[in-house]
Amino acid sequence: MKFGRVPTARAAGLITAHTLRAGSLTLRKGSRLRPEHLHHLQEAGLDEVVAASLEPGDIGEDEAASHLAERIAGDGLRREPAFTGRCNLFAGLAGLLLVERAGIDAINGVDEAITVATLAPFRPVAADEMVATVKIIPYAVPGPVLAMACAAVREPPLRIAPYRRRRVGVVSTLLPGLKPATVDKTLRNLRHRLAPTGAAVIGDVRIPHEPGAVAEAVATLVEQSGADLVLIFGASAIADRRDVIPMGIEAAGGHVVHLGMPVDPGNLLLVGARGDVPVIGAPGCARSPKENGFDWVLQRHLADLAVARSDIVAMGVGGLLTEIVSRPQPRDGGERADDDA
């Protein structure tokens, strides 16, 4: 692509590099200059214009953006028509945005003329929400450069993991001093969390804070109620793998995948399973409507994504979240709070 100052008299067919105004005529950046435009520009005293012209083998900005957007869009994504060198991608359904960062980095590293921007990986998105944009910075790119960008990835690096788990069983353990209103509020906040995903609470079991009661409740929710995800809100935070909730999960025939997470609030979260049904031991902060580590794990399970120990360990970068005002003790010191994480 050629770019620079051109005598107005010879600019027909070129592309304006900047918005031009001449009397009642306004030509937006990127407009094609037609012969009738040149007369108005010259009358306004514009003897030169800054313009671009395509060379053989160049691909126009809209075509290039659309082609690359089609290459990177995987399952659950749709693209809209390109405009001014930009092609936007939208979620076709609710779920989590999955991003292969290496692929996006590879495309962005091909040439400064080609850019791809996305939302953060594992971001919950609604249907029709914009999740990525391809922008061609100049007005065209050489065909071989676009081919290199498309070849930088073997498979589309973006896709939506739709929410699949719909039947959520909830276990709340009780101890003296835990108000029923607190448990009720926890369930309300949970239902608010679940609403965008299409999942619903199909069982609300309230039991003593004892391993045997936890085991029976988990087994009943899975075997009799058909829960495909079980959440346990303990009256007391999980302090060890030998504590009430992990012991109850194991007594129910399940196992603990990982205890703890490098996300604050959310440190005292447990991830386990009984058969193919995930079980989450919620931290105390999960009673709050504010975002915490529980949300990250809950969303992945609802999208039927595996949550291994390595996944949780990788959440530390970016895992320092907003302080929850209602926590018994903020991070800046003071006495230890049993249910603050």
Side-chain angles (χ1 to χ4, degrees):
M1 183 186 75
K2 296 179 180 179
F3 183 94
R5 291 188 174 277
V6 179
T8 303
R10 300 205 306 268
L14 302 188
I15 302 168
T16 59
H18 309 289
T19 297
L20 298 175
R21 294 181 175 85
S24 61
L25 175 67
T26 298
L27 295 173
R28 299 292 182 186
K29 172 184 174 182
S31 300
R32 285 277 182 180
L33 285 166
R34 299 198 299 269
E36 58 266 30
H37 295 150
L38 306 185
H39 175 71
H40 290 284
L41 295 175
Q42 289 175 312
E43 280 194 339
L46 294 176
D47 296 326
E48 288 185 331
V49 294
V50 179
S53 62
L54 274 59
E55 297 182 284
D58 283 351
I59 298 176
E61 56 181 357
D62 287 350
E63 182 182 351
S66 182
H67 189 73
L68 183 56
E70 182 178 12
R71 182 70 183 88
I72 68 174
D75 293 343
L77 293 172
R78 62 174 177 82
R79 60 190 172 91
E80 291 199 342
F83 62 99
T84 63
R86 182 182 302 280
C87 189
N88 297 327
L89 295 175
F90 294 81
L93 71 174
L96 297 189
L97 175 66
L98 302 187
V99 181
E100 183 196 351
R101 175 162 187 158
I104 299 299
D105 288 348
I107 292 171
N108 283 327
V110 168
D111 191 276
E112 62 186 18
I114 295 174
T115 68
V116 179
T118 78
L119 296 180
F122 299 105
R123 166 78 175 265
V125 295
D128 298 322
E129 182 175 350
M130 181 173 156
V131 301
T133 185
V134 176
K135 173 62 178 174
I136 304 300
I137 292 178
Y139 302 105
V141 293
V145 171
L146 178 62
M148 287 177 60
C150 291
V153 290
R154 294 183 179 180
E155 300 292 335
L158 299 175
R159 69 182 179 91
I160 300 295
Y163 297 118
R164 299 186 185 278
R165 297 185 183 272
R166 306 284 185 179
R167 300 175 59 82
V168 180
V170 180
V171 179
S172 299
T173 69
L174 308 176
L175 285 172
L178 179 62
K179 298 178 181 179
T182 299
V183 179
D184 293 339
K185 183 178 179 181
T186 299
L187 267 290
R188 286 197 301 273
N189 288 334
L190 175 62
R191 289 188 173 95
H192 180 73
R193 282 184 162 95
L194 296 177
T197 74
V201 175
I202 54 90
D204 170 16
V205 183
R206 305 184 186 194
I207 58 170
H209 189 70
E210 299 170 357
V214 171
E216 182 179 354
V218 170
T220 298
L221 286 170
V222 173
E223 295 175 4
Q224 298 181 21
S225 300
D228 55 17
L229 175 62
V230 175
L231 310 178
I232 305 176
F233 292 90
S236 180
I238 305 170
D240 189 88
R241 281 178 174 258
R242 294 160 292 186
D243 212 338
V244 168
I245 291 173
M247 288 181 64
I249 293 171
E250 292 179 351
H255 66 281
V256 174
V257 174
H258 189 77
L259 173 60
M261 70 185 309
V263 179
D264 188 5
N267 296 138
L268 305 183
L269 178 138
L270 177 149
V271 174
R274 184 183 187 274
D276 60 355
V277 176
V279 180
I280 303 176
C285 60
R287 298 186 186 279
S288 166
K290 285 197 173 183
E291 182 186 22
N292 59 81
F294 171 71
D295 292 285
W296 294 7
V297 173
L298 174 65
Q299 290 156 359
R300 294 197 194 191
H301 276 310
L302 290 170
D304 203 18
L305 298 175
V307 182
R309 180 180 185 277
S310 58
D311 296 311
I312 295 174
V313 169
M315 293 178 181
V317 176
L320 183 60
L321 304 180
T322 304
E323 180 68 69
I324 294 177
V325 176
S326 62
R327 292 173 76 188
Q329 183 62 50
R331 296 189 187 102
D332 59 358
E335 295 181 3
R336 184 188 188 92
D338 289 338
D339 59 350
D340 65 347

